[in-house]
Amino acid sequence: MFNIFKISLVLLLVFSIFILNEERALAEAQLTDEESIDRVVAEMSLEEKVSILVGPGMSGESLVGLTDAGVPGAAGNINGVPRFGIPAIVLADGPAGLRINSTREGTEETFYATAFPVATAIASSWNTDLAKEVGDAVGEEIKEYGVDIWLAPALNIHRNPLTGRNFEYYSEDPLISGKMAAAVVNGVEDNGVGTTIKHFVANNQETNRLSVDAIISQRALREIYLRGFEIAVKDAQPWSVMSSYNRLNGSYTSANQELLTKILRDEWGFKGFVMTDWFGGYESLKVIFEEGNSVSDVVAQMQAGNDLLMPGTPNQTQALIDAVKSGKLDEKILDRNLKNILKVVLQTPRFKEYRYSNKPKLKTNAEISRQVATEGMVLLKNKQKVLPLNSDAKIGLFGNGQIETIKGGTGSGDVNTAYTISIAKGLDENFELDQDLLARYATYVSTLRGLKEYQKPPHSFFEQKPQIPEKPLRDNEISAVVEKTDIGVIVIVRNSGEGGDRKNEKGDFLLTDEEQKMIERVSNAYHKVGKQVVVVLNIGGVIEVASWRDKVDGILLSWQPGQEAGYAIADVLSGRANPSGKLATTFPMDYGDVPSAANFPGDDPVDPSKVVYEEGIYVGYRYYDKFDIKPAYEFGYGLSYTSFEYSNLKLNSNIFKDKIRVTVDITNTGKVAGKEVVELYLNAPDNKLDKPIQELKGFAKTKLLQPTETQTISFEIDARTLASFDENKSAWLAEAGKYELRVGASSRDIRKRAFFKLKKDLIVEEVNDLLEPTN
Ligand code: BGC
């Protein structure tokens, strides 16, 4: 027995040495550091190179979320080539947290991640320090769950309120988008894991997202759609960029060399690698799954500088090999792209053989999620100081959303959490809720949700759960609750997600008749006896508010606030947290007022092939201001439980050669501590170029100011800040003339103004004439 054991051991040893020698003989070069990359690439076969440049595909029935290697539920891998010491790299979504499966076969262990507030909510905090903290917390989960690169943050512009993925994006304004994304990238990457800013660029709709051609002027691209990405690249240098699905001015972004090489790398100095979105460059999913022989234009993609094709299909692999062999594609292009990827691989935890714990700090991260959630909430209305509520307030809580509270949107931006604190639970633990009403809602919602018609269709990644109709309310039911309680709180919820845009219809952008009636009847009943009513909006994107807001006393926009939703909402309603969020996206009076309403989602409502961005640079407040259209709630708007005074605005251009420093004092003039978002707008001369009335050029958030406390806030303005994009000159031009700096509490609540002059036109930066629309 012992002998057999000994013999097998010896055989095993000999065999292993043989294998090791084989491997050494095959690959002398090993990936060790940047200097080794050239040697490794030189020694690789064409097939090995292509195996890295094209992802390993996806397995199983689900389109997204299955991967053969690494971490279950991760979105994909970059293949490794073990004989060169190149490990397989794990990529997982984003952006409201880390999206991996929470359970795994063969173990009772769970792998929950923290759901943070959606990006729109984070942006509404206007607090980049907090955004960095979120990044830091997500980065820790990414690292401890064995993921290398996060497929987030996402920073497409809120061009239209109906875009299904707006919740994943920050704002209608590129400065906020860029600064928020940069903060998140820095926070995540401080952990030694990577980020992917996406979707580059102009993925501003879900309808026909795989093929729609976005026709955008050079100026609108430069000033609005590219600007946020430019800021994020320059401020934070993310490891990777994801090109978008759509076409831009005629060609797929993933095959657009001007975009991915000239602008991203040559102009902005991007050093990481570019990957496609999942199946990016394919006309439709149908061509992949039903006509298995189709392939994206891999030659154009590789030449453009789209280094990695994800998730990768066998056809792409074959097409690349054939293209090189037939001389259609220079192998040097593959080498260049491969090197971009390998440089990043060197930095990954996988490469560094980090031993992850699968035990991230979920408790600490939940607290961060709750704090950010409260800071991102926007108090839209507070008549007669209905809020905050006393802790002994007796509340009648209405609306199905108290039970089915929404932490975040659906699709790849979803997060598998251990729990979501419902609004009912959060308020029940903090106030006195009418228990009978609560019980009736709980029973109603669970009964209806149990019915077949209200279940999520199986295997559908993109489809929403059908909305349950609002629980019917009898008159005597309402009056009994009103009698027993001090205040009514009504919850309105909306959800959306990847794969579909929202609609300007009841139940989506508009309230349903049942919701309208609920607001009216509940408000009337409370008002009749001198009591008040507050609405909580648990929504991921803008909805219509003008038709019903006058009926209620208070409106708290909680957005989709992550897994601590109910607790965070209770924090703000109770005044434990003073709301300090402001809108980073406008609420219009009517959908018809939206600048892109006539051009969304394009030349056909269902199957658009083209979408012309006719509004040009006039997106969001730039449009409402210029054309004097009154929004329901303007960009930058948000109330507080205290008040702030702005004083002492000063410009100082002496201390800098090429910059102006702007300082302003903010004083808390109210009775409770609070934070203020301070917004800096610029009105620039328009002798040569048409200009918006004003544009956001800086923002800051004060610390928590105690009553009477003052803080001096400062901003810096450089020449580029003054400039607009001159299409004729292909340059950023700061025009001579008088400039007005406006410091305010919202875009329409300017508190202080200061002026300065520029004597001569200044060409701040010349760029190549790129991305011209072809038609
Ligand atoms: C989404 C991306 C996501 C990717 C991987 C795509 O459908 O558009 O945002 O990162 O899937 O899940």
Side-chain angles (χ1 to χ4, degrees):
M1 179 70 188
F2 176 67
N3 271 347
I4 294 174
F5 182 64
K6 230 164 92 181
I7 292 164
S8 353
L9 246 186
V10 171
L11 278 177
L12 194 73
L13 205 68
V14 171
F15 191 59
S16 324
I17 289 169
F18 173 74
I19 291 176
L20 277 177
N21 279 340
E22 263 293 293
E23 291 219 340
R24 276 210 197 106
L26 283 170
E28 269 176 15
Q30 290 289 300
L31 188 71
T32 49
D33 52 20
E34 279 219 26
E35 291 195 346
S36 67
I37 292 179
D38 285 346
R39 290 195 300 276
V40 166
V41 172
E43 230 183 288
M44 267 187 189
S45 68
L46 175 60
E47 286 72 14
E48 283 170 328
K49 290 176 187 173
V50 171
S51 79
I52 295 181
L53 298 165
V54 181
M58 304 174 82
S59 56
E61 298 171 306
S62 164
L63 286 185
V64 184
L66 284 169
T67 175
D68 287 321
V71 179
N77 293 107
I78 308 177
N79 281 321
V81 185
R83 73 183 194 101
F84 291 101
I86 304 171
I89 300 303
V90 180
L91 317 173
D93 282 305
L98 175 67
R99 189 173 69 90
I100 57 171
N101 291 350
S102 52
T103 54
R104 292 180 192 171
E105 261 174 46
T107 172
E108 293 290 296
E109 227 183 301
T110 53
F111 303 83
Y112 292 116
T114 306
F116 293 87
V118 296
T120 311
I122 294 178
S124 303
S125 77
W126 298 60
N127 186 339
T128 48
D129 292 342
L130 213 50
K132 182 159 187 268
E133 233 179 280
V134 172
D136 200 10
V138 180
E140 192 254 344
E141 295 189 15
I142 294 169
K143 189 166 184 184
E144 290 311 322
Y145 275 136
V147 173
D148 296 287
I149 300 178
W150 195 41
L151 302 171
L155 62 151
N156 294 98
I157 291 290
H158 292 172
R159 172 179 180 246
N160 186 292
L162 301 184
T163 299
R165 293 182 86 174
N166 272 353
F167 70 96
E168 295 188 58
Y169 308 145
Y170 295 107
S171 171
E172 68 190 23
D173 180 84
L175 181 71
I176 302 200
S177 305
K179 291 289 178 192
M180 285 292 158
V184 170
V185 167
N186 283 329
V188 172
E189 295 196 352
D190 280 354
N191 290 273
V193 292
T195 57
T196 310
I197 56 172
K198 68 187 185 185
H199 310 88
F200 190 57
V201 66
N203 182 180
N204 302 106
Q205 66 189 62
E206 290 300 285
T207 311
N208 256 6
R209 63 178 180 161
L210 260 69
S211 62
V212 73
D213 191 7
I215 307 296
I216 314 179
S217 73
Q218 261 210 84
R219 180 166 178 200
L221 269 170
R222 292 283 185 171
E223 292 187 14
I224 308 288
Y225 298 100
L226 290 171
R227 183 79 183 114
F229 286 95
E230 179 182 5
I231 293 169
V233 167
K234 289 182 174 170
D235 285 10
Q237 208 39 268
W239 287 12
S240 130
V241 168
M242 184 187 288
S243 52
S244 56
Y245 282 129
N246 52 283
R247 290 185 167 94
L248 170 65
N249 293 336
S251 71
Y252 278 112
T253 58
S254 62
N256 190 325
Q257 196 186 10
E258 295 182 336
L259 183 70
L260 301 185
T261 297
K262 291 199 179 138
I263 292 180
L264 181 64
R265 288 187 190 277
D266 302 347
E267 273 185 31
W268 300 348
F270 174 65
K271 306 237 174 342
F273 72 89
V274 177
M275 70 175 90
T276 58
D277 198 345
W278 268 227
F279 304 108
Y282 277 94
E283 189 75 27
S284 69
L285 290 184
K286 202 169 148 221
V287 302
I288 309 164
F289 295 101
E290 288 172 27
E291 301 158 28
N293 57 351
S294 63
V295 64
S296 66
D297 188 347
V298 292
V299 172
Q301 288 175 312
M302 284 294 132
Q303 283 170 339
N306 197 118
D307 307 300
L308 174 67
L309 305 178
M310 286 304 291
T313 66
N315 290 345
Q316 288 176 317
T317 300
Q318 196 53 52
L320 266 189
I321 293 172
D322 293 348
V324 173
K325 286 192 174 156
S326 68
K328 256 210 258 159
L329 180 62
D330 189 341
E331 195 167 345
K332 285 202 190 91
I333 299 279
L334 296 193
D335 293 352
R336 174 197 69 181
N337 296 358
L338 195 53
K339 287 175 192 175
N340 289 334
I341 298 172
L342 291 180
K343 263 192 255 163
V344 171
V345 167
L346 280 172
Q347 303 177 53
T348 58
R350 270 284 173 320
F351 179 78
K352 294 179 178 165
E353 296 181 354
Y354 178 71
R355 293 168 71 106
Y356 52 94
S357 63
N358 277 331
K359 299 264 172 298
K361 293 187 254 160
L362 293 180
K363 273 220 169 92
T364 315
N365 295 348
E367 277 163 31
I368 295 170
S369 177
R370 177 169 172 174
Q371 194 202 341
V372 184
T374 61
E375 267 211 32
M377 288 184 201
V378 186
L379 182 60
L380 294 176
K381 179 168 185 179
N382 199 16
K383 197 172 147 196
Q384 290 167 343
K385 302 212 164 121
V386 53
L387 296 175
L389 306 174
N390 290 331
S391 56
D392 59 0
K394 296 193 182 78
I395 299 178
L397 185 57
F398 297 84
N400 298 344
Q402 63 178 288
I403 308 292
E404 292 200 324
T405 302
I406 298 176
K407 67 178 193 311
T410 57
S412 63
D414 198 3
V415 180
N416 297 313
T417 54
Y419 58 85
T420 296
I421 304 297
S422 69
I423 296 176
K425 181 171 164 67
L427 267 54
D428 197 31
E429 288 180 28
N430 284 277
F431 303 97
E432 259 185 65
L433 283 197
D434 184 283
Q435 295 298 316
D436 297 338
L437 185 62
L438 177 60
R440 285 198 297 275
Y441 267 105
T443 310
Y444 173 81
V445 170
S446 74
T447 310
L448 264 75
R449 194 52 84 196
L451 302 178
K452 215 170 147 213
E453 60 195 290
Y454 294 115
Q455 277 167 24
K456 198 180 164 194
H459 308 305
S460 87
F461 182 71
F462 295 126
E463 247 173 285
Q464 301 293 314
K465 258 199 265 178
Q467 213 172 326
I468 294 177
E470 271 305 329
K471 180 180 117 52
L473 293 164
R474 283 168 285 108
D475 280 342
N476 58 358
E477 182 182 16
I478 298 178
S479 54
V481 175
V482 170
E483 202 175 301
K484 285 190 281 175
T485 56
D486 306 317
I487 185 156
V489 173
I490 302 172
V491 180
I492 300 289
V493 292
R494 285 290 182 276
N495 209 0
S496 72
E498 185 179 350
D501 287 315
R502 296 170 53 212
K503 295 201 164 62
N504 178 29
E505 287 173 0
K506 289 178 183 173
D508 204 338
F509 186 73
L510 309 174
L511 296 198
T512 59
D513 293 342
E514 292 73 27
E515 287 169 329
Q516 290 276 13
K517 272 189 223 137
M518 169 172 68
I519 290 177
E520 179 148 337
R521 291 170 64 217
V522 170
S523 299
N524 283 346
Y526 275 98
H527 289 161
K528 231 197 255 164
V529 293
K531 297 176 183 175
Q532 292 171 299
V533 170
V534 169
V535 167
V536 173
L537 294 178
N538 175 206
I539 56 183
V542 170
I543 63 167
E544 188 275 333
V545 292
S547 66
W548 55 267
R549 64 177 170 176
D550 292 343
K551 296 178 183 153
V552 299
D553 307 283
I555 305 173
L556 178 66
L557 169 61
S558 75
W559 294 117
Q560 292 170 341
Q563 67 180 45
E564 302 298 311
Y567 290 148
I569 289 168
D571 287 341
V572 173
L573 292 179
S574 67
R576 261 197 312 276
N578 187 348
S580 62
K582 294 194 180 177
L583 294 178
T585 204
T586 306
F587 274 61
M589 290 294 286
D590 182 82
Y591 179 71
D593 290 344
V594 171
S596 55
N599 292 295
F600 183 89
D603 55 8
D604 184 282
V606 186
D607 190 18
S609 59
K610 190 159 93 175
V611 51
V612 184
Y613 287 29
E614 268 177 9
E615 70 284 357
I617 57 168
Y618 292 107
V619 177
Y621 68 91
R622 286 169 170 80
Y623 171 80
Y624 299 107
D625 289 348
K626 181 88 176 183
F627 299 94
D628 210 10
I629 291 163
K630 198 175 172 315
Y633 296 111
E634 77 268 15
F635 179 81
Y637 171 85
L639 303 172
S640 164
Y641 297 151
T642 188
S643 52
F644 298 95
E645 192 183 273
Y646 290 55
S647 62
N648 228 358
L649 175 62
K650 282 191 203 140
L651 302 193
N652 190 340
S653 55
N654 299 333
I655 45 172
F656 295 109
K657 224 174 82 227
D658 51 1
K659 280 189 189 146
I660 298 174
R661 173 172 282 179
V662 183
T663 55
V664 62
D665 290 345
I666 309 295
T667 306
N668 183 348
T669 50
K671 295 203 176 69
V672 293
K675 294 182 181 180
E676 171 72 332
V677 171
V678 186
E679 303 162 33
L680 176 75
Y681 296 90
L682 179 78
N683 164 273
D686 56 356
N687 302 325
K688 298 200 173 83
L689 300 178
D690 182 34
K691 300 265 170 81
I693 303 292
Q694 56 180 3
E695 290 182 281
L696 186 76
K697 296 294 178 177
F699 60 91
K701 193 156 198 179
T702 66
K703 61 182 184 188
L704 187 72
L705 292 174
Q706 298 302 322
T708 75
E709 196 180 354
T710 298
Q711 185 182 354
T712 303
I713 295 293
S714 72
F715 303 98
E716 277 176 17
I717 299 282
D718 60 12
R720 174 72 185 270
T721 316
L722 308 182
S724 297
F725 191 77
D726 184 346
E727 289 187 344
N728 296 326
K729 296 196 171 72
S730 280
W732 289 92
L733 170 72
E735 287 187 52
K738 189 170 164 192
Y739 286 78
E740 180 184 323
L741 283 170
R742 307 167 166 192
V743 178
S746 90
S747 62
R748 294 186 174 214
D749 182 9
I750 301 299
R751 304 287 181 86
K752 294 284 161 201
R753 291 161 202 263
F755 301 88
F756 63 91
K757 267 193 181 149
L758 195 65
K759 285 196 195 113
K760 282 192 293 199
D761 277 3
L762 194 66
I763 301 239
V764 183
E765 195 184 324
E766 276 177 277
V767 296
N768 289 318
D769 189 0
L770 300 170
L771 301 173
E772 199 67 64
T774 45
N775 37 2

